[in-house]
Amino acid sequence: MSTVHVDGDAFVVEAEDLARGFGVDAAEVIQALRDGIVTSRCEKGIDEHDGRHRLIFSHKGRVLRLTVDDAGRILSRAVFAPPPAAPPKPGCPRG
């Protein structure tokens, strides 16, 4: 995996690339996307990070983070478990 497709102001990552990152097959990723089980977000860099974007995908307790440039070149890739949720503050109701 070395590039992400740029479509206007959107980024397109192939299901096979996500599957590799999560250690599952592409069909599972496609179904998880349809079911809303895979979540994603994009963060745009500012100041010294201008021209960079973080594409973050979550699936089954794992996070895949791709840092890409404006052309879609992958600058870094990381797979990790998300940090644990912070405990509720005293006096705050539990959700």
Side-chain angles (χ1 to χ4, degrees):
M1 176 167 55
S2 59
T3 61
V4 170
H5 304 283
V6 180
D7 184 9
D9 60 352
F11 296 93
V12 179
V13 180
E14 296 294 329
E16 291 82 11
D17 293 331
L18 292 176
R20 244 188 322 276
F22 289 121
V24 298
D25 62 50
E28 181 178 340
V29 168
I30 291 168
Q31 189 61 50
L33 286 164
R34 287 183 180 139
D35 294 342
I37 296 169
V38 172
T39 60
S40 65
R41 73 176 190 261
C42 177
E43 299 173 349
K44 183 177 180 176
I46 58 171
D47 298 329
E48 70 269 14
H49 301 288
D50 188 44
R52 292 181 179 209
H53 308 268
R54 280 195 292 201
L55 311 178
I56 303 163
F57 301 89
S58 299
H59 178 57
K60 289 189 174 180
R62 305 294 292 167
V63 175
L64 170 63
R65 182 181 63 211
L66 304 174
T67 302
V68 301
D69 64 14
D70 285 333
R73 287 185 295 266
I74 296 174
L75 306 173
S76 69
R77 178 185 133 172
V79 178
F80 52 91
K89 294 181 182 180
C92 291
R94 291 181 180 245

